[in-house]
Every structure is written in C-alpha cells, then in structure tokens.
C-alpha cells in the first residue's frame, strides 16, 4: 500500500533523516506537512512539490494539535541527539507525548516513531533482537530514547492508536553528520587512526533503506504495535566501513591504536562528561568498538518481508557528490 494522496506529517523534517523521508513521501505522491522548529534550516525540502513547511516545536502541545489535525499518518522523527538529560527529556519524552496525544485526538491511522538501537545500551554482545530488555545505562540520549518509546506504547494503548517503533542503527548517507561527514573526516587521515584493528562490528544503515522501511511500516498491517531494529544483518566490520571512506579519500592505510591505552584514560574523560551532566559511558564505548554484535533483522524479514538493500560500498559511493559539495572530498 502506498501513501499517495494522503496528508501526512514528518516531525524533524529539516534534519537529516526527516528531510530524506519528506522528499521520498512527496515523490511517492503523499502531501507532506514538514514540521520544522527553525524553517530557515529546511532548505533541502523547501520549494519541493507536495511539501509544505510548517513551523512548530514538539514541546508545544497546543501547536502539535493544530498541525497534526487532518493527517492520516505521523512520522515522528524529531529528537534531541545531544546535551544533558534536562535538555533531552522535554524533547525526547514530553515532546513525544505531545505528538502521541495530538495523534490520538486527530484519530490518525498510524504513528511511526523513530527510536534508536541506543535503547539496548552498550553492554550486550552477540545477536540482539527486539525483545531484549532495554539497558540504556547512564547516557541521557539512551535513557530518553527508551523513555520516549515507553510513552509511545503507553499513549498508544490508552487511546487505541496504531503505532510502530523503528530502532535505527547508525544512519549514514548524503547529509549525514556523525556517520558520514565526521567519519569521513577521520578516514581522510592517512593512515586512518582507530581503536583496535577494526575487526569489531559496526552498524551502518543507509538512509534510503531506513526511509523505505519506515514507509512500509506505516502501511503494513503486521507492523502495528511492533518495534523493529533497522540495521545491517550481518553487520560489517569497522575496517570495511571506515576503510570504505578511506579508499574514497585515496588511501587504504590503518593505524591501530591499542584499546589497552584507552582503557585507563576513558574513565578520566568520562568524569569530565559526567561533571557536565552528559555521561557517555566511555569505557563501555571502547569495548563497543571491538565487540562482535548484530542487531538482528529477523523480525522485519519474517513479519514484513523486508531487509536492507543497499550494499555498503554502494551506500558509501552514493555519498560522493555530497562530500564534494561540502568541500570534504576533492
Ligand atoms: N543519526 C543517527 O545515526 C541516528 C541513529 C538512530 C536513531 N536516530 C534517530 O533518528 C531521528 C533523526 O535523527 P537525525 O540524524 O536526522 O537528526 P537531526 O538531523 O539532528 O534531526 C533532528 C531534527 O529534530 C529537530 N528537533 C529537535 N528538537 C525539536 C523540537 N523541540 N521541535 C521540533 N523539532 C525538533 C531538529 O531541529 P533543529 O535543527 O531546530 O534542532 C532537527 O531538524 C532522531 O529521532 C534520532 O534519535 C538517529
């Protein structure tokens, strides 16, 4: 089923994922309200056919009721990805409640809520499925994303509101910040410095694959009330992912920094983050980079017949025009 002809809304539409999603929905023939807290940042979707930019902040409950009225589907993408707990809670938890309550009042057909694999925390190894207990630890982002999911389930159940929760891994692609621009900046160094030999697993999901999955989840009857990982399964290695960016930059050299050096330093740096109110669990993150884990896609395959399609090298190559446009690749 397609969303062509339907009035839908995307929160966080000026951002990386929200912008890609809004454009794809509009191309498919949906009428898209693109919610932007700062419309001046929405250049990527401005002037696109079928997209109307609407100004609004998800922390404003009344505004959410106004903008969601008349929509059949909500893609709730907006989130705070950094900062301390006091900054993230009002957006990732209260903001999600505002969106869900407005969705219930407007009697929308489905809410697609973008969560994160961060809800599992850093400590699991091996195969991670959707029914694993969430252990977000002390990191404000991980905690508030887990709390946001809980709000979706609570309001969804109270109001008989259809929803699906998507837990993307590391989203990369054109316009991507952390897993494209920042990683590419690291990969340009010759040799590319990394903690360890790079044979630990990494979890890059290409943005167009995620968009595809979100749209399917919005329309597939078996997706209602379900949470899904969205990650490569099997997971590639850091050597393949970061090394792919290095090769774009014209070299294939790797500088392995022994993790043993970082282990005593990580708790000291962690103290600095904790004093700022933004604990990061750096010692666990050091281990995360070496770990062999896969966020399983079995559920998406079995229930929805879906799996990521974009090969890693293709996804990396697709970033080239944007990296050039940004002046990162010459
Ligand atoms: N990037 C990843 O690798 C990754 C991985 C897993 C999950 N996710 C999830 O994917 C979603 C999108 O991430 P992204 O990478 O596209 O991040 P992004 O580019 O930073 O986009 C987030 C958007 O949310 C907006 N926003 C923040 N607070 C808001 C508020 N109070 N009201 C309205 N809009 C608000 C931001 O607007 P401003 O520009 O005005 O701040 C921004 O446009 C998030 O839910 C994130 O948790 C991301």
């Amino acid at each position: 089923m397609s969303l062509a002809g339907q009035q839908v809304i995307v929160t966080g539409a000026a951002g990386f994922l929200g912008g890609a999603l809004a454009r794809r929905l509009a191309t498919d023939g949906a009428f898209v309200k693109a919610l932007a807290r700062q419309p001046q940042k929405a250049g990527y979707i401005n002037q696109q056919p079928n997209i109307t930019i609407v100004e609004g902040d998800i922390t404003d409950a009344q505004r959410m009721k106004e903008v969601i009225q008349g929509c059949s589907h909500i893609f709730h993408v907006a989130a705070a990805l950094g900062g301390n707990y006091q900054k993230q809670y009002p957006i990732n938890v209260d903001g999600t409640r505002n969106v869900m309550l407005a969705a219930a009042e407007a009697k929308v057909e489905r809410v697609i809520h973008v969560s994160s694999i961060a809800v599992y925390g850093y400590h699991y190894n091996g195969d991670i499925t959707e029914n694993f207990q969430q252990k977000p630890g002390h990191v404000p982002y991980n905690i508030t994303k887990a709390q946001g999911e809980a709000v979706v389930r609570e309001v969804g159940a109270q109001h008989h509101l259809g929803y699906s929760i998507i837990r993307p891994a590391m989203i990369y692609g054109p316009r991507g910040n952390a897993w494209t621009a920042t990683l590419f900046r690291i990969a340009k160094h010759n040799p590319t410095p990394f903690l360890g030999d790079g044979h630990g697993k990494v979890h890059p999901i290409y943005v167009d694959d995620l968009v595809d999955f979100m749209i399917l989840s919005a329309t597939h009857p078996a997706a209602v009330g379900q949470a899904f990982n969205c990650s490569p399964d099997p997971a590639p290695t850091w050597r393949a992912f970061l090394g792919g960016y290095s090769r774009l930059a014209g070299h294939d050299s790797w500088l392995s920094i022994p993790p043993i050096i970082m282990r005593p330093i990580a708790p000291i740096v962690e103290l600095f983050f904790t004093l700022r109110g933004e604990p990061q669990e750096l010692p666990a993150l050091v281990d995360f980079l070496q770990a062999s884990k896969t966020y399983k896609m079995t559920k998406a395959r079995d229930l929805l017949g879906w799996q990521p399609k974009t090969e890693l090298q293709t996804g990396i190559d697709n970033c080239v025009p944007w990296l050039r446009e940004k002046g990162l690749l010459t």
Side-chain angles (χ1 to χ4, degrees), residues 103-138:
E105 191 172 296
K107 298 199 178 348
V108 307
E109 285 174 36
R110 190 91 53 97
V111 179
I112 300 302
H113 172 72
V114 180
S115 180
S116 169
I117 56 162
V119 300
Y120 299 114
Y122 300 130
H123 297 277
Y124 286 119
N125 220 334
D127 290 346
I128 301 168
T129 66
E130 289 83 350
N131 53 15
F132 270 42
Q133 192 192 350
Q134 299 187 0
K135 295 184 178 173
H138 308 301

Side-chain angles (χ1 to χ4, degrees), residues 50 55 58 63 74 86 126 160 165 174 176 178 187 191 206 212-213 218 270 273 277 284 287 293 308 311 317:
N50 290 355
E55 187 170 353
I58 62 168
R63 182 68 180 143
I74 300 179
Q86 287 70 23
H160 307 290
I165 294 169
Y206 189 63
D212 196 48
F213 187 50
E270 177 67 36
F273 280 104
D287 293 335
K293 65 179 86 185
E311 295 293 334
D317 290 344

